[in-house]
């Protein structure tokens, strides 16, 4: 993320290329909906590139349409928001909104022996399976549960340490050898877990980082080749995400957002079809740029994006992933910028996966320059911000089928059995938010399930996600949605709901398989 404390950049004027053909107002086709992650869903296995597209193991094109969930790169050494919510409910909510990928920023600090997370709430059963785990072990749980939910994960080496970002990929305290060793350690750790589809080698290289200058100490393109080959030497199936720099041939842009040199000086790796170029792009809530005050704004923006990174896609050179873009949406300029960018990224309803890849900054509300998809209560969705992204959301991916360390009852061992566990994520007196984890405790797959409970008070469900419900008096019956009824033996899923008032005693849940 390009923080507001940085100096605004000066971007030199340049000839603008033609905008993307077919950019248009997007359709509200996917907001609040799910795409069932079946064996035929895109995204199965590891991915590779072909021209400007990313293809899954079966050769189906995929579109990354996700969010950044930061925190592992900070002093908390874990994703933010777990101080108020269960991590599984957070991932479930991402899925329910139609996001299919999580970019997880981290710093090399979490790979130090004994690195432990802090600021996790374990009350009322929240995050129960994270107690006592190291930061890396928590990341393991997040990866596993995301895969079960049909989401993919991209690991992002965001900072060398929790103190802040660095212009180059190394610092005096974190040399290149440590950077590469840690990248290899993560690549090895998740080898065979195709939920992790790739690694973003270093976040936002900027001056004095160069592209194609040939200086081993500052040429980011050469460093990306060294690191990318090291990652692929231990896990040859991963995608290698390579961000841009700040300045190329005297033309400056956003940190990490300038890929003007990649056409002439491509990243060359020992394993073919693994490079995805990544750009970052922001609005005035982060910093001013010359194009925002151009008299032709926002019509000038497609040409700006073409020049810095869009040409790589349009010329079929490589896939382009906008790994970060965001805004508070407070100003009219920012609103016009986001609308223009969404159109440029190509609506899924028109182009399918033959489109730019993206992850929005950020899921978190605690990004000072942009805010997030969630509002400050870490529960409520900013529906205006989320609404801008509706037309570029894309189908969920095939589930990994793992249990993801989810809760749920213990062991029955009968041919068909399930158990349900109830946890309160927040209770403010007049209302309550809760999560229910459903686990297949039998030995055969389930095609559907039903969870029932009876409250001792006068609580009423006001909304429910990832399940359908009926309520008669104090008794609630929740049945699976179309996409989460099938559970392999040992697998888990979850749903959540809001009810009023709060303060209810934890009910006894009954799970019935089908």
């Amino acid at each position: 993320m390009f923080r507001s404390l940085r100096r605004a950049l000066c971007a030199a004027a340049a000839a603008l290329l033609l905008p993307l053909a077919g950019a248009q107002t997007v359709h509200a086709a996917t907001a609040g909906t799910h795409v069932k992650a079946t064996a035929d869903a895109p995204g199965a296995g590891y991915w590779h590139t072909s021209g400007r597209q990313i293809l899954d193991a079966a050769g189906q094109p995929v579109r990354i349409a996700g969010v950044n969930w930061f925190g592992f790169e900070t002093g908390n050494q874990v994703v933010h928001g777990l101080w108020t919510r269960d991590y599984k409910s957070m991932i479930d909510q991402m899925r329910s909104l139609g996001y299919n990928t999580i970019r997880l920023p981290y710093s090399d600090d979490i790979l130090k022996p004994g690195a432990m997370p802090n600021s996790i709430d374990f009350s009322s059963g929240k995050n129960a399976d994270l107690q006592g785990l190291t930061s890396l072990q928590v990341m393991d749980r997040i990866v596993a549960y995301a895969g079960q939910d049909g989401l993919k994960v991209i690991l992002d080496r965001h900072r060398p340490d929790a103190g802040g970002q660095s212009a180059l990929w190394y610092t005096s305290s974190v040399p290149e050898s440590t950077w590469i060793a840690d990248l290899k350690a993560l690549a090895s750790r998740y080898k065979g877990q195709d939920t992790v589809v790739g690694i973003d080698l270093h976040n936002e290289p900027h001056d004095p980082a160069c592209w194609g200058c040939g200086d081993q100490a500052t040429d980011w393109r050469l460093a990306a080749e060294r690191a990318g080959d090291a990652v692929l030497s231990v896990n040859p199936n991963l995608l290698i995400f390579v961000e841009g720099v700040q300045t190329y041939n005297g033309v400056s842009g956003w940190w990490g957002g300038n890929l003007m040199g990649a056409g002439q000086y491509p990243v060359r790796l020992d394993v073919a079809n693994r490079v995805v170029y990544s750009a970052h792009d922001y609005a005035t809530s982060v910093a001013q740029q010359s194009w925002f005050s151009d008299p032709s704004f926002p019509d000038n923006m497609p040409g700006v994006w073409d020049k810095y990174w869009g040409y790589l896609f349009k010329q079929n050179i490589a896939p382009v992933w906008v790994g970060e873009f965001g805004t508070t949406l407070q100003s009219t300029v920012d609103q016009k910028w986001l609308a223009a960018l969404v159109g440029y990224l190509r609506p899924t309803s028109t182009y399918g996966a033959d489109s730019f890849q993206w992850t929005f900054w950020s899921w978190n509300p605690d990004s000072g320059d942009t805010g997030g998809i969630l509002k400050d209560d870490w529960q409520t969705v900013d529906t205006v911000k989320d609404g801008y992204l509706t037309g570029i959301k894309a189908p969920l991916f095939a589930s990994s089928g793992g249990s993801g360390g989810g809760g749920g009852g213990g062991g029955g061992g009968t041919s068909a059995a399930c158990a349900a566990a109830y946890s309160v994520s927040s209770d403010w007196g007049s209302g309550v938010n809760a999560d229910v984890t459903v686990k297949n405790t039998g030995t055969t797959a389930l095609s559907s399930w039903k969870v029932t409970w009876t409250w001792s008070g006068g609580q009423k469900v006001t909304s429910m996600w990832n399940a359908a419900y009926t309520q008669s008096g104090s008794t609630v019956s929740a049945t699976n949605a179309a996409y989460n009824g099938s559970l392999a033996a040992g697998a888990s899923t979850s749903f959540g709901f809001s009810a009023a008032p709060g303060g209810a005693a934890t009910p006894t849940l009954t799970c019935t398989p089908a």
Side-chain angles (χ1 to χ4, degrees), residues 228-397:
D229 283 339
V231 167
L232 294 172
S233 71
V234 297
N235 192 342
N237 293 310
L238 292 177
L239 294 176
I240 303 299
F241 295 90
V242 183
E243 297 186 29
V245 291
Q246 176 185 354
T247 304
Y248 180 77
N249 281 351
V251 179
S252 294
W254 297 109
W255 288 4
N258 191 334
L259 284 159
M260 293 172 63
Q264 182 177 359
Y265 301 105
V267 172
R268 305 150 301 178
L269 299 178
D270 292 340
V271 181
N273 303 317
R274 293 293 181 271
V275 175
V276 178
Y277 292 110
S278 176
H280 291 185
D281 203 271
Y282 280 101
T284 62
S285 65
V286 173
Q288 282 288 340
Q289 297 280 14
S290 60
W291 43 79
F292 294 127
S293 56
D294 188 296
S296 64
F297 177 84
D299 294 338
N300 63 319
M301 292 309 303
V304 173
W305 295 318
D306 282 345
K307 178 182 68 174
Y308 282 101
W309 43 268
Y311 75 96
L312 293 165
F313 175 87
K314 294 178 69 174
Q315 296 178 22
N316 202 36
I317 295 171
V320 176
W321 170 51
V322 185
E324 291 186 16
F325 65 104
T327 167
T328 60
L329 278 182
Q330 294 303 302
S331 73
T332 301
V333 169
D334 285 23
Q335 294 162 15
K336 292 180 178 179
W337 165 85
L338 185 55
L341 181 56
V342 164
Y344 183 85
L345 295 181
R346 297 166 67 104
T348 303
S349 62
T350 303
Y351 297 99
D354 184 25
S355 304
F356 290 94
Q357 319 287 329
W358 60 274
T359 45
F360 189 76
W361 187 279
S362 61
W363 179 249
N364 308 46
D366 58 336
S367 175
D369 294 333
T370 65
I373 295 297
L374 294 185
K375 294 188 176 182
D376 288 343
D377 62 0
W378 283 94
Q379 300 276 354
T380 307
V381 174
D382 186 328
T383 55
V384 174
K385 192 173 290 186
D386 178 68
Y388 273 88
L389 306 175
T390 294
I392 56 172
K393 292 177 182 177
L396 293 168
F397 301 124

Side-chain angles (χ1 to χ4, degrees), residues 17-57:
L17 303 179
L18 292 174
L20 269 176
Q24 56 186 275
T25 303
V26 298
H27 302 287
T30 57
T33 65
H34 297 278
V35 178
K36 185 177 181 181
T38 68
D40 296 325
Y46 282 105
W47 298 352
H48 61 283
T49 68
S50 177
R52 67 189 189 184
Q53 291 190 322
I54 299 176
L55 307 180
D56 67 11

Side-chain angles (χ1 to χ4, degrees), residues 54-129:
I54 299 176
L55 307 180
D56 67 11
Q60 295 186 89
V62 298
R63 185 176 201 184
I64 296 167
V67 289
N68 286 266
W69 188 11
F70 66 81
F72 276 111
E73 84 284 13
T74 71
N76 298 108
Q77 299 192 131
V78 70
V79 287
H80 286 178
L82 302 191
W83 51 68
T84 187
R85 287 186 66 182
D86 184 90
Y87 76 97
K88 296 185 294 295
S89 72
M90 205 92 77
I91 295 170
D92 288 343
Q93 190 177 21
M94 294 175 192
R95 174 193 171 110
S96 73
L97 292 171
Y99 298 108
N100 66 20
T101 303
I102 305 170
R103 180 176 183 253
L104 277 182
Y106 72 88
S107 85
D108 292 71
D109 282 351
I110 71 167
L111 285 100
K112 294 178 179 178
M116 298 295 294
N118 60 75
S119 302
I120 300 179
D121 182 10
F122 300 112
S123 67
S124 303
K126 290 193 292 291
N127 302 302
D129 59 328

Side-chain angles (χ1 to χ4, degrees), residues 1 13 32 79 83 134 149 166 171 182 193 206 245 257 268 320 336 339 377 412 423 446 449 456 483 488 513:
M1 170 62 185
V79 287
W83 51 68
T134 66
D149 253 8
S166 59
T171 64
D182 287 348
Q193 298 184 53
H206 52 278
V245 291
R268 305 150 301 178
V320 176
K336 292 180 178 179
D377 62 0
S423 64
L446 301 181
W449 45 262
S456 57
Y483 50 83

